[in-house]
Amino acid sequence: MKKAIHYSVVGLAIILGVFFVYKGLNKHFLSECKVYEPDSPLPLNYRNLITALCTSGFTKVVGFLEIASGILLIIPRTRLLGSIILLPVIITIFLFHLLIDNRPHELVETGIPLLAAILVFASYYNVWKVIVAGRKN
């Protein structure tokens, strides 16, 4: 049973890593920042914030963090560090969609990677417990 859980976490971490490498590359090279028309059905606050994040270069920073954490998640030895870097990014993205965006499918699309990142991080409980506590029990 422990091996099945271990292999599930490894598979989940690799899938999550590849996903975030793609999403980070997408922010840098594959697509332009979104500019919404005034008649867009999306909430005004959402359109304004996306425009501000794109024009300020903030999305490029997020893209870099996504690429870095994705690569770290793929490599077994650095998987915990990758999840530590990814968690604040994906939590911010999820909260952005929860509080500003009014489309429920966006919560599902960001909630699934958030849950996966939490599961990968939680699977290293014995490691980060020692880091936080400063001693072994």
Side-chain angles (χ1 to χ4, degrees):
M1 184 68 176
K2 279 190 171 183
K3 280 191 173 187
I5 292 172
H6 172 72
Y7 289 129
S8 297
V9 169
V10 168
L12 192 61
I14 291 171
I15 291 169
L16 196 62
V18 169
F19 175 75
F20 277 101
V21 167
Y22 167 74
K23 293 304 267 181
L25 289 173
N26 189 35
K27 285 179 179 62
H28 279 279
F29 304 112
L30 303 178
S31 66
E32 296 289 323
C33 268
K34 295 178 182 174
V35 176
Y36 295 101
E37 299 298 323
D39 60 342
S40 174
L42 297 173
L44 180 62
N45 287 340
Y46 176 83
R47 289 182 284 160
N48 290 341
L49 187 55
I50 287 293
T51 302
L53 293 175
C54 283
T55 56
S56 69
F58 187 79
T59 55
K60 301 289 185 189
V61 174
V62 170
F64 171 77
L65 290 172
E66 288 175 346
I67 292 169
S69 63
I71 291 170
L72 292 171
L73 280 169
I74 293 169
I75 302 167
R77 194 164 181 87
T78 60
R79 199 161 282 145
L80 176 59
L81 180 60
S83 68
I84 290 171
I85 293 171
L86 181 62
L87 272 174
V89 173
I90 190 65
I91 288 170
T92 303
I93 293 169
F94 180 79
L95 288 174
F96 168 74
H97 287 288
L98 177 68
L99 301 173
I100 296 176
D101 197 358
N102 66 354
R103 298 173 292 169
H105 73 278
E106 290 291 334
L107 288 177
V108 173
E109 290 177 15
T110 57
I112 291 171
L114 173 61
L115 179 62
I118 290 171
L119 289 173
V120 170
F121 180 72
S123 72
Y124 285 91
Y125 173 74
N126 290 331
V127 176
W128 56 261
K129 173 181 70 169
V130 173
I131 295 170
V132 172
R135 64 186 188 289
K136 280 191 170 184
N137 290 342

